Amino acid sequence: MIQENLSIKEKIVLAHKLLGPIRRHIEDQGRSHLLDDLRKEALRSRRLMDELGVSMTCAQCAKRNNGSGCCSKEIEEWYDEKVILLNLLLGVPVPDEYVDPRTCIFLGPRGCRLLVRYHFCVNYLCKTIEERLSGSQLRRLRAQYGRELYIAWRLEEEIWRYFNTNSCKGPTLQAPLLP
């Protein structure tokens, strides 16, 4: 099921195919509450990003720099089926067409169109953003990101557990799974 070197559009198609089995697996493992937790934390992150102007800064930067920078087309290839699945599990429509073909497929006019993003996209704050925000704003944002990423990581472990249990191709988790 998991194959290396898929294009982003192929990963999106694969994630759609895996959605039903993954949803059932998460329910069977008693982990559905984590989806609610992830939605809450990701929405909190998004609201804070909007409040602090981070989302618009990213969208404007990509437009100003003709698709280069943090939201470049190359970044989308870092996304894997797990992150796409997390969005689908939350009912987020995953775009499969570009707003601007020079940028990441997930970038829209107001920032990322996904709710759950790849960890680099969550964690990395460029120099422009760091200079625009105060120390307390940066700490608030990073603390919120940490809560979001922790829950996303727990759900990604469940997805890997499904892959491993069902003999899907892909690496085996090295870290211990949470009970």
Side-chain angles (χ1 to χ4, degrees):
M1 297 240 174
I2 299 300
Q3 300 171 19
E4 293 183 29
N5 302 320
L6 293 178
S7 72
I8 191 62
K9 289 190 176 193
E10 291 169 322
K11 292 175 189 176
I12 292 168
V13 168
L14 180 56
H16 278 282
K17 289 179 183 176
L18 291 168
L19 179 59
I22 295 292
R23 183 182 306 282
R24 282 189 296 282
H25 172 78
I26 289 173
E27 290 168 0
D28 291 347
Q29 297 302 312
R31 300 280 195 244
S32 295
H33 67 281
L34 291 174
L35 292 171
D36 295 331
D37 294 345
L38 180 58
R39 179 186 317 282
K40 280 188 244 173
E41 296 304 336
L43 285 170
R44 285 180 181 147
S45 294
R46 180 57 53 102
R47 282 192 297 272
L48 186 55
M49 288 174 60
D50 289 346
E51 174 189 321
L52 298 175
V54 173
S55 299
M56 284 305 293
T57 299
C58 294
Q60 292 166 350
C61 176
K63 187 174 183 177
R64 184 175 52 252
N65 292 310
N66 295 315
S68 66
C70 302
C71 300
S72 68
K73 188 166 179 60
E74 290 77 26
I75 297 296
E76 73 188 29
E77 294 305 323
W78 296 354
Y79 276 76
D80 60 18
E81 297 82 0
K82 295 183 306 302
V83 176
I84 297 166
L85 272 162
L86 290 176
N87 281 280
L88 294 173
L89 287 163
L90 295 178
V92 174
V94 174
D96 59 0
E97 296 297 328
Y98 293 89
V99 170
D100 180 343
R102 298 171 301 175
T103 65
C104 175
I105 196 168
F106 304 124
L107 182 65
R110 299 188 52 178
C112 188
R113 298 186 284 172
L114 296 178
L115 181 58
V116 177
R117 296 165 293 139
Y118 182 69
H119 67 84
F120 172 84
C121 300
V122 176
N123 270 325
Y124 180 73
L125 297 174
C126 71
K127 187 175 181 175
T128 301
I129 291 171
E130 286 184 339
E131 288 174 351
R132 288 184 181 177
L133 300 180
S134 70
S136 65
Q137 290 172 322
L138 284 169
R139 284 188 296 280
R140 272 181 61 209
L141 193 57
R142 287 188 171 122
Q144 179 54 45
Y145 286 169
R147 289 187 286 275
E148 175 186 345
L149 288 170
Y150 174 70
I151 297 166
W153 170 74
R154 290 184 66 194
L155 281 161
E156 284 186 24
E157 280 195 323
E158 283 304 325
I159 294 170
W160 274 120
R161 185 179 297 182
Y162 172 84
F163 292 158
N164 291 334
T165 303
N166 292 284
S167 299
C168 299
K169 291 183 179 178
T172 301
L173 280 177
Q174 299 299 315
L177 294 173
L178 295 176

